[in-house]
Structure formats: structure tokens, C-alpha cells
Amino acid sequence: MKLFSLILNFFLSKIKILIVFRYGRSIGDQLCISSLSNSIKKKNARLRIILIVSYPELFYNNEDIFLLFKFKKNKISYYLFRLLNRIKGSSIKEFRSKYPEEGDFTYLRNINGQHIIKAMSFEFSDIIKDSEIEIQNKFILSKPEQIKIKTKFVLPSKYALVQSQGKSYYSTLKQWDLNKLQKVINDFPNIKWVQVGLEDEFKFENVIDLRSKTSLRELGYLFSQASFLLTHEGFYSHFSSCFNLKTFVIQPGISMINNFKYPNTIHIQKIDNLDCYPCYLKNNCPKHEQICMKNISSEDVVNVIKKNTDF
């Protein structure tokens, strides 16, 4: 297999083909490939990128991608993923950190303040330097798509997006108090709030409820037209980067802001005098209560929004 891998990677390099893959349900990580692929194409326009991911709809209309394929939820895709891992080389690379998850700890504790996009691009260091990777995700909506989606959703001319719950299957330590979030919404009665997310997530009062009512493509349009977004750290904060959407991210003390910072994101984190920051834990906070999240009051969030918007 090693000889086959060497020959295949050498052949692909000669015809300027780069195969990039990422398997699994981490949608935010897969979106981040768009920053890497765009940076690579800016450096080497002749290189043709073949992308294999679980969420190909994130890359529709993306001119940086030569061919796009999907890892489906079946055994064939799983075995393809395993094969690709065995034949990785100069022209077949996985977008993933070199550091594994360690029990309740995330790989972030091994990358310090490095952005996750650069950390997950380590296999590409022979193609592009760390300093050449632009932290700016990409999501392209065609004009016909925009027109179709605009007619489907009747929305206010100005609105803000809000998400109630962060992704819990990876980490249970990203969730802020839902009552505090509701209070933030109530403190801005002049804002038309549109709630996005999944149907089983907590529903706020005084919002336009679009939970589980949009596809990823439609969600992109909503992001492109919004005034700002209030969310937890996760896919939505990565997604907002595609549209330069002002995004207020309620950030726990489990990681450093620099790991997730984009030019458009404003992170709200209160970690002064916390001896446990950053803990890099995914679950099981050893404190009696998660102080880094309890420290953030609804007034803190309201004040940051007022300072950075016209509302």
C-alpha cells in the first residue's frame, strides 16, 4: 500500500490534482476547508482541488473546487475514508488537526492560541505556509438561489438572528443560560429577532421561529441579509464569516478566543481571575458550577450589542 500511495500521489502531483477530504458530522470544521482551499488557489491557481466531504452543499458554486463528492452515511463511504487515510501523501490530504482528542480534553490544548483553520491545515504545510492561510470562510449563493429563497421567506427588512443552544454532542460546556438569552431578546423590543437552529432546541418568546425550517443553502441567505447574529461558539460563528456578518459569540472559558476569531466576530468572554482558564475540557467541569459562563450576565451581552450596533 505504501508503494501504491507514493506512485498515486506522484502521478496526481504531475497533473496538478489535490484531493482534500474530511469525514464525519463536524459541519463547522468542513466549512473551514473553504478558507484553506481559497488560500491555496490564490497561491497556485493551476492546482485543481477535488473535495470529498459529508456536507458538499457548503461548497456549491465555489469556483475553488474542481470536483465535489459526498461521503454518504453508508459503509462504502466509510471504507473510502479509511482507504484515503492509508494513501495520504503529497496530493491526498485530510483536513484535521494532528493532535487527537484526549478523553474529556479537546485537541485545542495542544495548539495554544492558533486558529483551528491553521491547526487543521497541518498536512498542507508542504503546499502553503501557515502565514499564507487567510481566515475567511466562503459560501456562494447563485442569483437564482437568492431570488427563490427570498420569495419563500417573508422577513422584515431588518432583523437579527439568534440561536438558543450550542452543539452538545461534542461539548456540554458551551451553553449559556437560556433565561439570560431570553432577557437579551426582551431588552431589544425594537429588533425583529429570527430564531434559527434545530426543532428540538429551546424556543424563545418574541421571535420569528425558523428552527428546522431552512436548508443549509437557505440558512446562508438568511445570514447574508441579517443585521447581526447572537450565538454560541460553533458552526454558526464559522458560517457568519462567509458573509462578514457581525456576530456576537458567547464564549466559555474552555478555550481561547484566538482559536475561533474572525474579523466579523465579537466574542463575549469573562475569565478574569479564573485559575482554570483555559481548561480545554469538552465535558465535566470540575467546579461546582461553570463559573466562566455564569460570570456572563445578560447586561454584559446587551451592553456589547449596544456598543457595536445602531440598535
Side-chain angles (χ1 to χ4, degrees):
M1 186 64 75
K2 185 175 181 180
L3 179 60
F4 172 73
S5 173
L6 288 171
I7 294 171
L8 178 59
N9 277 274
F10 177 76
F11 172 73
L12 291 172
S13 68
K14 288 301 180 181
I15 60 173
K16 303 295 182 182
I17 291 287
L18 173 65
I19 296 176
V20 181
F21 68 96
R22 178 63 189 259
Y23 179 82
R25 59 178 180 171
S26 183
I27 185 170
D29 289 357
Q30 294 185 38
L31 174 68
C32 288
I33 295 173
S34 63
S35 282
L36 174 64
S37 60
N38 186 242
S39 299
I40 290 174
K41 288 294 287 184
K42 285 181 178 178
K43 182 177 181 181
N44 188 348
R46 295 178 60 196
L47 196 61
R48 292 174 292 181
I49 299 174
I50 296 176
L51 181 63
I52 313 172
V53 289
S54 301
Y55 300 94
E57 56 267 46
L58 293 171
F59 299 90
Y60 293 166
N61 306 315
N62 189 328
E63 68 277 8
D64 299 326
I65 308 303
F66 175 61
L67 290 174
L68 180 62
F69 297 99
K70 179 177 182 176
F71 280 123
K72 297 181 180 180
K73 295 179 180 179
N74 57 34
K75 288 185 178 180
I76 294 175
S77 288
Y78 174 68
Y79 288 127
L80 172 61
F81 164 67
R82 292 186 62 180
L83 173 63
L84 288 169
N85 260 297
R86 294 188 66 186
I87 59 175
K88 288 194 292 187
S90 60
S91 297
I92 303 175
K93 299 179 181 292
E94 183 179 16
F95 185 75
R96 185 182 294 274
S97 168
K98 67 178 177 179
Y99 299 107
E101 304 288 318
E102 301 171 349
D104 272 337
F105 291 97
T106 72
Y107 71 91
L108 298 175
R109 69 173 177 170
N110 293 305
I111 67 171
N112 297 316
Q114 186 183 33
H115 198 282
I116 63 166
I117 291 175
K118 295 186 176 183
M120 289 189 287
S121 300
F122 89 98
E123 286 191 14
F124 300 80
S125 60
D126 58 336
I127 295 176
I128 189 167
K129 296 178 182 177
D130 195 80
S131 59
E132 295 173 320
I133 300 174
E134 183 180 353
I135 307 301
Q136 179 70 53
N137 294 324
K138 193 172 180 179
F139 182 91
I140 308 298
L141 287 163
S142 67
K143 289 293 183 182
E145 271 187 297
Q146 294 179 49
I147 294 169
K148 183 178 179 181
I149 298 169
K150 183 178 181 180
T151 58
K152 179 177 178 179
F153 298 99
V154 181
L155 294 168
S157 57
K158 293 185 70 175
Y159 61 88
L161 296 170
V162 63
Q163 176 196 28
S164 63
Q165 291 174 258
K167 180 174 67 176
S168 60
Y169 70 80
Y170 177 74
S171 171
T172 58
L173 301 180
K174 295 183 179 184
Q175 184 63 48
W176 193 46
D177 190 313
L178 292 168
N179 292 319
K180 290 181 180 179
L181 264 170
Q182 181 66 68
K183 191 173 186 305
V184 173
I185 293 171
N186 294 344
D187 280 356
F188 288 99
N190 57 321
I191 294 177
K192 301 295 184 183
W193 292 93
V194 175
Q195 184 175 351
V196 290
L198 301 178
E199 190 175 23
D200 59 354
E201 294 175 358
F202 179 84
K203 181 188 176 299
F204 292 125
E205 297 176 355
N206 306 318
V207 297
I208 299 170
D209 182 16
L210 290 184
R211 293 171 304 149
S212 290
K213 295 177 182 176
T214 65
S215 66
L216 273 175
R217 306 296 299 173
E218 292 167 342
L219 186 65
Y221 178 78
L222 266 59
F223 271 56
S224 71
Q225 300 299 307
S227 297
F228 69 84
L229 165 69
L230 174 60
T231 187
H232 299 87
E233 188 281 308
F235 168 63
Y236 284 3
S237 56
H238 298 297
F239 200 36
S240 71
S241 161
C242 303
F243 314 98
N244 199 30
L245 171 63
K246 185 170 291 183
T247 297
F248 300 96
V249 183
I250 299 169
Q251 179 88 30
I254 63 175
S255 55
M256 300 173 69
I257 289 175
N258 284 348
N259 295 139
F260 308 102
K261 180 73 175 143
Y262 293 94
N264 64 293
T265 56
I266 299 168
H267 296 252
I268 304 168
Q269 185 183 63
K270 294 186 74 173
I271 42 81
D272 293 345
N273 301 318
L274 282 184
D275 58 1
C276 54
Y277 166 81
C279 66
Y280 299 116
L281 285 168
K282 293 185 289 184
N283 304 293
N284 302 318
C285 175
K287 303 292 185 181
H288 176 65
E289 52 191 353
Q290 193 180 346
I291 301 171
C292 61
M293 288 302 257
K294 187 179 179 181
N295 277 353
I296 303 173
S297 69
S298 60
E299 289 77 15
D300 290 328
V301 177
V302 167
N303 290 336
V304 172
I305 292 175
K306 284 182 176 178
K307 182 180 178 180
N308 292 279
T309 69
D310 296 327
F311 292 99

